[in-house]
Amino acid sequence: MKRAVYFLAVICGLLLSPRIFAQQQPDSVLTSATLQDCIRYALAHQPQLKQSRIDESITDRTVKSKLADWYPQINLDFNLQHYLELPTSIFGGNPTKVGVANTSTALFGLNQNIFTRDLLLASNTARDVRKQSQQNTLRTQIDVIADVSKAYYDILLTTQQINVLDEDIIRLERSQKDAFNQYQSGTVDKIDYKRAGISLNNARAQQKSARELLNAKQAYLQQLMGYPTNAGNVPIVNDTTQLAQQVTGQDTLLTGNYQNRIEYQQLQTQQRLLKANLQYNKWSYLPTLSAFINYSFAYQNPEFGQLYSHNYPNSLLGLKLSLPIFQGGKRVHNIKMAELQLQRTEWDFSTMRNQINTQYMQAMATYKSNLNDYTTLKENMQTAQEVYNLLQLQYKEGIKTYLDVLISETELRTAQLSYYNAMYQVLSSRIDLQKALGTLTANN
């Protein structure tokens, strides 16, 4: 019977394990990855974020450990000793052995803190200490979102550059073939054919370089996301139309607010903790008060085997008041030091506001500049496409030379690559602007 139950359990385990694996598998890799998918994955798997959340848990446990001193503290001290030689006391000028050879005590002690500045500090700062840890995690999240977004855009840029070069190679192969046929028919000399070959080789070299660079950028994105290296490349969704729709220019109307920046919020939390530290040092003049109850089991007997045959217990309760009277001026110096630290924080706020304002102005200027370049290069690309199409027709009709076509084709490729590079630059600078504004979240 037992053997049958065992085999049944094994069979059930084998049947359920594929289902469990099937449920866990989608969480480890992505089947398609938009920017939001990559950000969500990074927020769930990025090692630094995991460490930051662990730090939050450690901070929470540390706070609870400090606050636990408000509860009664119960201790047990046990002692067992045997005198090799009994102690001697003098009574009336006569030395006399006192005590017994074997003693054992068990002391139960209960202590309840009533007032202590350490516990007051822990109680008053518990919320801000936890908040500080949460703000550290939030700051890490913002950095992860910014880095993943830029890496994602960089991969899209390189992918689009490869697509441009693919199309360019197709055009050059067709042009080379046409030039070769014309050369064979004696219409033109071999210069056009050779020029087409040079341009084709250059385009293929650029394509090869871009493909190798794409692999390195994929590895970098995987690192930022915490994506498993054995899962292959992140399946990026290449939708340049949707990316182009994000470039609206409305961000140029936004203005900065110090309160939105996580760095400013962290400084505010630090200031509150410094104020609490100042108050803590001012409380150093106050006494420490606690209550205690002790109960002791005492066993004494000259014979070790009969040690626990009789108990001589004792118990007591009381209050303990500790009042610092003079510490050589230490308390005064600590209070002054805490005041100076708090005063120094005011200058940190001034520095932080200046830094935030500078970052905002620089980010906005860069964004506007890149937005203007993007608009200009978009028009250039459209114009270059029109020029190339027109020269192709004129070349086939014998109006223009092949050199004109080759130049226009090079200009078209350059315009397309410059356009997509400008798109990446404007999207990347948009991330920097959102970060400077303090509005960068996973939903941007």
Side-chain angles (χ1 to χ4, degrees):
M1 181 64 182
K2 293 182 178 179
R3 184 175 297 178
V5 173
Y6 172 78
F7 282 117
L8 179 61
V10 172
I11 293 173
C12 290
L14 292 175
L15 291 175
L16 291 176
S17 59
R19 297 182 181 180
I20 296 174
F21 178 77
Q23 292 174 354
Q24 294 176 345
Q25 185 67 16
D27 294 334
S28 60
V29 295
L30 298 173
T31 55
S32 64
T34 63
L35 176 57
Q36 296 303 320
D37 293 331
C38 291
I39 290 175
R40 281 192 292 267
Y41 190 97
L43 294 179
H45 298 84
Q46 220 277 343
Q48 288 184 341
L49 273 175
K50 288 182 176 291
Q51 290 177 330
S52 186
R53 294 188 182 101
I54 292 175
D55 290 339
E56 279 191 57
S57 299
I58 293 173
T59 300
D60 181 65
R61 292 295 179 179
T62 302
V63 170
K64 290 179 179 178
S65 175
K66 297 292 185 182
L67 296 177
D69 288 338
W70 278 120
Y71 295 97
Q73 310 295 309
I74 301 176
N75 300 297
L76 169 64
D77 293 325
F78 177 78
N79 180 40
L80 174 63
Q81 63 184 31
H82 170 74
Y83 281 106
L84 298 176
E85 186 174 350
L86 291 175
T88 301
S89 296
I90 306 297
F91 295 99
N94 298 316
T96 305
K97 297 288 186 180
V98 295
V100 294
N102 302 294
T103 61
S104 179
T105 59
L107 175 63
F108 285 93
L110 183 149
N111 186 79
Q112 174 63 60
N113 287 309
I114 298 175
F115 178 84
T116 167
R117 66 187 185 120
D118 291 334
L119 287 177
L120 287 178
L121 176 66
S123 299
N124 293 339
T125 60
R127 180 179 179 182
D128 284 328
V129 170
R130 289 191 176 102
K131 187 173 184 179
Q132 188 179 53
S133 179
Q134 294 167 358
Q135 287 173 337
N136 291 337
T137 301
L138 180 58
R139 185 170 182 175
T140 304
Q141 286 180 347
I142 292 173
D143 291 338
V144 167
I145 292 172
D147 293 340
V148 168
S149 299
K150 289 184 178 181
Y152 183 90
Y153 291 145
D154 199 12
I155 288 178
L156 287 182
L157 165 66
T158 305
T159 302
Q160 199 59 39
Q161 287 175 338
I162 293 174
N163 294 337
V164 169
L165 292 171
D166 289 342
E167 295 175 359
D168 187 50
I169 288 173
I170 293 174
R171 288 195 300 265
L172 287 172
E173 288 176 341
R174 184 171 57 247
S175 297
Q176 185 187 41
K177 183 178 180 181
D178 293 341
F180 181 75
N181 291 334
Q182 290 181 351
Y183 168 67
Q184 291 289 340
S185 62
T187 307
V188 297
D189 56 24
K190 63 180 181 180
I191 294 179
D192 291 348
Y193 168 66
K194 294 294 183 180
R195 282 175 173 171
I198 293 173
S199 298
L200 180 59
N201 290 336
N202 290 336
R204 285 173 176 170
Q206 284 184 278
Q207 182 196 55
K208 176 64 175 177
S209 177
R211 291 187 184 278
E212 294 297 333
L213 191 59
L214 181 62
N215 293 331
K217 293 180 178 181
Q218 271 281 354
Y220 180 60
L221 178 61
Q222 290 177 351
Q223 173 191 338
L224 295 175
M225 292 173 56
Y227 200 78
T229 56
N230 58 355
N233 291 336
V234 180
I236 299 296
V237 176
N238 188 7
D239 190 353
T240 54
T241 302
Q242 183 180 3
L243 290 179
Q245 293 174 353
Q246 297 180 17
V247 185
T248 60
Q250 296 179 354
D251 304 81
T252 57
L253 304 176
L254 300 176
T255 57
N257 185 355
Y258 305 123
Q259 300 292 336
N260 292 336
R261 289 289 295 269
I262 184 61
E263 297 89 345
Y264 197 83
Q265 297 170 14
Q266 286 179 305
L267 195 56
Q268 289 176 321
T269 303
Q270 182 183 352
Q271 185 187 50
R272 289 194 295 270
L273 291 174
L274 288 174
K275 289 180 179 179
N277 181 61
L278 174 59
Q279 189 62 48
Y280 170 77
N281 284 284
K282 290 181 178 180
W283 285 336
S284 62
Y285 292 98
L286 300 177
T288 298
L289 180 64
S290 63
F292 61 90
I293 300 176
N294 293 335
Y295 189 92
S296 177
F297 296 90
Y299 299 92
Q300 303 181 46
N301 202 291
E303 299 294 334
F304 185 78
Q306 301 297 321
L307 177 59
Y308 294 103
S309 62
H310 194 73
N311 178 28
Y312 304 92
N314 63 83
S315 61
L316 58 91
L317 61 85
L319 292 174
K320 180 181 178 181
L321 179 67
S322 177
L323 178 63
I325 297 176
F326 180 71
Q327 296 178 337
K330 180 178 180 180
R331 290 174 294 184
V332 176
H333 296 313
N334 286 339
I335 291 174
K336 188 60 179 178
M337 183 170 58
E339 290 175 345
L340 291 173
Q341 289 174 341
L342 188 58
Q343 182 180 350
R344 188 180 185 277
T345 307
E346 295 298 330
W347 292 106
D348 289 336
F349 275 103
S350 178
T351 302
M352 178 66 69
R353 285 190 289 267
N354 290 335
Q355 289 178 347
I356 290 175
N357 182 69
T358 301
Q359 290 172 2
Y360 165 73
M361 296 300 294
Q362 290 177 343
M364 180 62 77
T366 302
Y367 179 67
K368 287 182 177 180
S369 176
N370 290 333
L371 185 62
N372 180 70
D373 291 343
Y374 169 78
T375 304
T376 303
L377 292 172
K378 183 178 181 180
E379 296 176 356
N380 288 349
M381 182 184 69
Q382 295 171 348
T383 303
Q385 184 68 58
E386 294 174 359
V387 170
Y388 173 78
N389 293 337
L390 180 61
L391 285 175
Q392 274 283 78
L393 292 175
Q394 292 177 341
Y395 172 70
K396 291 180 179 180
E397 294 176 359
I399 301 175
K400 294 292 184 180
T401 64
Y402 183 74
L403 179 60
D404 295 327
V405 176
L406 196 60
I407 293 174
S408 67
E409 195 282 331
T410 302
E411 291 175 345
L412 174 59
R413 180 180 69 234
T414 302
Q416 289 174 331
L417 294 176
S418 299
Y419 164 73
Y420 289 114
N421 184 66
M423 180 185 290
Y424 165 74
Q425 293 295 337
V426 73
L427 290 173
S428 179
S429 59
R430 180 170 173 263
I431 295 295
D432 291 333
L433 177 60
Q434 291 173 342
K435 193 173 180 180
L437 292 168
T439 60
L440 184 63
T441 63
N443 298 322
N444 287 123

